[in-house]
Amino acid sequence: MNRSLLRLDLAQDRDIVAARQRARQVSALLGFDSQDQVRIATAVSELARNAMRHAGGGTIEFMVTEAPPHGASMPATPLLQVIISDHGPGIANLDDAITDSGSGELKLGLVAARRLMDTFDVYSGKGRGTTITLGKFLPRRIESFTPTRVATIADQLSAYGAADPTAEMQQQNRELLRSLEELRLRKEELARLNAELEDTNRGVMALYAELEERAAHLRLADETKTRFLSAVSHEFRTPVNSILALSRILLHRLDGELSAEQEKQVTYIRQAAEQLSTMVDDLLDLRKVESGKLQLRVESFNVTDLFGALRGMFKPLSIKDTVSLSFEEIGALPELHTDQGKVSQILRNLISNALKFTEIGSVRVTARLAADTDMIVFSVADTGIGIAATHHRHIFDEFTQVENPLQKSVKGTGLGLPLSQKLAGLLGGSIDIASELGKGSVFSLAIPVRLAATTPIGTPELPVTRSAQRVLIVDDSEIERYALRQFLPSSSFEVVEANGGYDGLRLARQSRPDLIFLDLAMPDVHGLEVLKMLKAIEETRPIPVILFTSQRPDDIGEEQAAAASGLLLKSELSRESVAAAIRRASSPGEVHHASQA
């Protein structure tokens, strides 16, 4: 659709004023607001002035057209198009003339017009003149244009008559005054916000000081409570065990028969002692948790029992009537040997999120055995609002929440998914997402059927002595890990392997390697994020890290990679390059390329 509205000739200076006035009239009839009218009028007048000054005149044509759609299912967008043509000498160094740097009347006019409009295209040839095409998308509220409506607008423009330079000057003055008033209001608002920010900063500093003081008191109270729980629990254990032992002697009648009433009384004493013993054990477990000695509890269980417990847990909750929750096992599933409590905790968080962000439809929880692997995959699929691809990685960052229409009614801390991802890594697995905005989400938890080891969190078991240096290779490619391992002398190095970033973090804390080779492009988390977390954890901070990657040194940010101790390119893998990387790993300073002399 190309429908002409108006055509003007540029022959005299007063035609510049007419062009500005006509541009405002056209944009007003097409439904643009006052600010867009000023933008369009200013862009047209600047280019009209250029045509007069540098080409001696030209023509301006206003028309309604349609911009090409962005996709097959997207409709075309109505567009106001303005074409300014002249037969002058053309523009020398066209690319330089439309860039933001530099000065000059011609250059300033072109740059200003490009900034004010939505589309901008220029053609200029030596001796062939210049044609500039500007475009401004019509407001969405405007209905589609028919030939009748375009003809009506054209008639209205014809009825306006010749331009009045004085009236146009007065209009420009009013626009300038309005702009100055808006600037004044914005300046006052900025001053008010700055004052509020200063007050807030002072309040934050005072709050930080108070928090530091309270944190010190809390640390002292926590240490006191831990010592108290430990002492009291151990002090309780001896008399409780004595009561249990004596009650067993009496109930086994080692010193004679008991009457029925005496047996009942001793039984009550034994039950009370057993309850007290259970409480003592719970207190000791609580002390272990608070001191960071939480241990994975590996047990055998099946998916049917796990789903049954989750179904019973969510059934009494206030689930919306418009959302159904179902559990399904796909195919024959083996028995799992892992921490059932941690698996249940992850699934509870994923299901809760799915129910929160699904207003109508279903939440479907499934479990299947991944093909050709020993991994079981739990999937939580919903028909909710979905998540845009640009946010897929960020939702696993702490305190990150994606803005959505349900944000006001659904509250959260932004810690559930990061915690679940870390727990999944602790179990030797990971969480993946497949989602599209407006089309629901699928969160998949993949974990090994059998957990290889159970090591307390925060207190990794370290060997007392070891004859070889321990090296951790973190890379999702088994072939790349194998290749690197072959270039490490087996007599000098003990190799530990991790097939992903979160698994690498877990093994780094558990095995305490002397050196880490870290890949960058991994599916679960980028290597630079793993490097940042390694340097943030006290136990792993001193461990040298060599970036083991296919990326060229120039493609890696210097600031991001500054914490690494070396760089080894996969394309240059050899016994000499590996040895050189290891020698430089303990050297401070910039990241070294392993192939450097």
Side-chain angles (χ1 to χ4, degrees):
M1 177 189 75
N2 289 303
R3 294 166 181 163
S4 180
L5 297 174
L6 181 67
R7 182 183 177 90
L8 297 176
D9 290 327
L10 295 173
Q12 305 177 36
D13 286 344
R14 66 183 182 183
D15 293 334
I16 300 174
V17 179
R20 180 183 182 91
Q21 189 176 49
R22 288 300 203 178
R24 184 186 298 104
Q25 292 170 354
V26 170
S27 56
L29 290 173
L30 292 177
F32 287 99
D33 60 29
S34 58
Q35 290 186 351
D36 278 339
Q37 293 176 30
V38 173
R39 293 187 182 101
I40 296 169
T42 302
V44 170
S45 65
E46 286 296 317
L47 296 181
R49 181 177 291 105
N50 281 351
M52 288 297 303
R53 296 289 184 272
H54 301 283
T59 61
I60 301 178
E61 185 175 8
F62 298 89
M63 61 173 46
V64 174
T65 184
E66 289 182 342
H70 295 289
S73 61
M74 299 294 290
T77 306
L79 183 77
L80 167 62
Q81 197 169 72
V82 185
I83 302 173
I84 300 100
S85 303
D86 65 58
H87 298 288
I91 302 174
N93 300 321
L94 180 60
D95 291 338
D96 179 66
I98 60 176
T99 57
D100 291 345
S101 60
S103 60
E105 182 182 0
L106 174 63
K107 184 181 186 71
L108 292 176
L110 291 171
V111 172
R114 190 183 65 174
R115 289 177 177 174
L116 292 169
M117 302 296 280
D118 295 330
T119 64
F120 181 89
D121 184 61
V122 57
Y123 169 79
S124 184
K126 186 175 182 180
R128 299 179 185 176
T130 301
T131 300
I132 301 173
T133 304
L134 306 175
K136 194 75 172 177
F137 292 112
L138 269 63
R140 292 185 179 182
R141 64 181 182 276
I142 302 302
E143 300 176 357
S144 59
F145 283 85
T146 63
T148 303
R149 187 175 179 192
V150 171
T152 301
I153 294 175
D155 292 340
Q156 289 176 299
L157 290 170
S158 299
Y160 283 140
D164 182 354
T166 303
E168 181 61 26
M169 185 64 70
Q170 292 174 347
Q171 178 64 28
Q172 284 187 257
N173 288 339
R174 286 193 293 269
E175 291 171 358
L176 179 59
L177 290 173
R178 187 162 52 246
S179 299
L180 291 174
E181 178 63 16
E182 290 178 359
L183 288 174
R184 185 186 66 80
L185 294 175
R186 290 185 181 182
K187 184 177 180 180
E188 291 178 355
E189 178 68 12
L190 181 61
R192 185 183 65 81
L193 291 176
N194 284 336
E196 289 183 2
L197 183 59
E198 291 178 0
D199 292 340
T200 302
N201 286 340
R202 285 192 290 269
V204 168
M205 295 301 295
L207 182 59
Y208 275 151
E210 184 178 349
L211 287 175
E212 285 291 335
E213 182 180 355
R214 293 191 178 186
H217 288 302
L218 286 174
R219 285 193 294 269
L220 179 60
D222 185 64
E223 293 172 0
T224 304
K225 182 181 69 174
T226 300
R227 289 195 299 269
F228 171 77
L229 289 176
S230 179
V232 170
S233 299
H234 284 95
E235 289 298 326
F236 269 144
R237 186 178 290 279
T238 300
V240 168
N241 288 339
S242 299
I243 296 172
L244 287 171
L246 291 173
S247 63
R248 292 192 194 98
I249 291 174
L250 293 172
L251 290 174
H252 283 80
R253 282 128 172 120
L254 297 182
D255 291 324
E257 289 295 327
L258 298 175
S259 65
E261 189 64 26
Q262 288 173 333
E263 183 176 2
K264 181 187 295 186
Q265 293 169 357
V266 174
T267 301
Y268 287 153
I269 293 173
R270 188 194 64 183
Q271 291 175 352
E274 288 175 345
Q275 292 176 359
L276 190 56
S277 178
T278 301
M279 183 186 71
V280 170
D281 291 337
D282 290 342
L283 286 173
L284 289 173
D285 287 342
L286 177 61
R287 186 186 64 82
K288 290 179 182 178
V289 172
E290 292 180 343
S291 62
K293 296 181 180 179
L294 180 63
Q295 191 172 18
L296 291 177
R297 300 182 182 275
V298 177
E299 56 183 318
S300 299
F301 63 96
N302 56 56
V303 175
T304 302
D305 293 340
L306 175 64
F307 278 3
L310 290 171
R311 188 183 294 109
M313 187 178 303
F314 281 96
K315 186 176 181 180
L317 299 180
S318 57
I319 300 176
K320 307 165 189 172
D321 295 335
T322 55
V323 180
S324 63
L325 175 62
S326 62
F327 294 82
E328 180 182 351
E329 299 176 39
I330 301 176
L333 301 178
E335 190 176 50
L336 279 78
H337 302 273
T338 186
D339 191 319
Q340 183 177 4
K342 299 295 185 295
V343 175
S344 177
Q345 182 178 353
I346 296 170
L347 291 177
R348 287 199 307 270
N349 182 67
L350 297 180
I351 295 171
S352 297
N353 282 348
L355 292 172
K356 286 179 186 177
F357 297 105
T358 303
E359 293 185 302
I360 300 176
S362 64
V363 174
R364 183 169 173 258
V365 186
T366 60
R368 61 179 175 84
L369 190 64
D372 302 326
T373 68
D374 61 347
M375 305 286 284
I376 190 165
V377 180
F378 295 92
S379 296
V380 179
D382 64 66
T383 58
I385 60 177
I387 303 171
T390 54
H391 297 304
H392 285 186
R393 183 175 176 181
H394 300 297
I395 60 175
F396 292 102
D397 295 336
E398 293 183 0
F399 303 106
T400 297
Q401 291 181 285
V402 179
E403 292 294 331
N404 60 76
L406 301 179
Q407 196 69 46
K408 293 182 179 179
S409 58
V410 177
K411 301 298 182 182
T413 62
L415 291 174
L417 286 176
L419 175 60
S420 297
Q421 184 70 280
K422 291 177 182 178
L423 289 177
L426 187 63
L427 297 175
S430 63
I431 297 176
D432 294 321
I433 176 178
S435 183
E436 187 176 345
L437 196 62
K439 296 186 178 181
S441 306
V442 179
F443 284 86
S444 299
L445 165 67
I447 58 171
V449 172
R450 180 179 294 274
L451 185 61
T454 58
T455 304
I457 302 173
T459 56
E461 296 179 359
L462 300 177
V464 177
T465 59
R466 59 193 190 207
S467 58
Q469 280 189 306
R470 180 169 293 167
V471 175
L472 172 61
I473 302 175
V474 184
D475 196 318
D476 61 301
S477 171
E478 183 179 357
I479 297 175
E480 302 289 357
R481 297 198 305 271
Y482 174 82
L484 177 58
R485 191 170 63 245
Q486 299 310 302
F487 291 113
L488 292 170
S490 57
S491 59
S492 304
F493 295 94
E494 174 188 349
V495 179
V496 180
E497 297 183 22
N499 61 4
Y502 288 108
D503 191 35
L505 285 169
R506 178 178 64 82
L507 289 176
R509 300 184 68 181
Q510 175 180 318
S511 61
R512 290 288 185 88
D514 302 295
L515 179 65
I516 297 175
F517 285 91
L518 176 62
D519 186 25
L520 292 183
M522 293 183 288
D524 58 341
V525 59
H526 196 273
L528 292 178
E529 292 296 322
V530 177
L531 176 62
K532 186 187 301 182
M533 288 186 275
L534 285 170
K535 297 306 177 182
I537 300 172
E538 185 175 354
E539 304 103 292
T540 58
R541 187 180 300 123
I543 304 174
V545 179
I546 297 175
L547 300 181
F548 180 50
T549 179
S550 300
Q551 297 185 28
R552 304 301 302 176
D554 294 341
D555 297 331
I556 304 173
E558 294 182 0
E559 294 183 1
Q560 293 177 304
S565 302
L567 174 64
L568 176 62
L569 296 180
K570 294 182 179 180
S571 59
E572 301 175 3
L573 193 61
S574 66
R575 190 174 298 277
E576 291 75 16
S577 65
V578 172
I582 294 174
R583 282 197 304 270
R584 294 187 176 94
S586 58
S587 301
E590 62 181 359
V591 175
H592 297 282
H593 183 184
S595 64
Q596 292 173 349

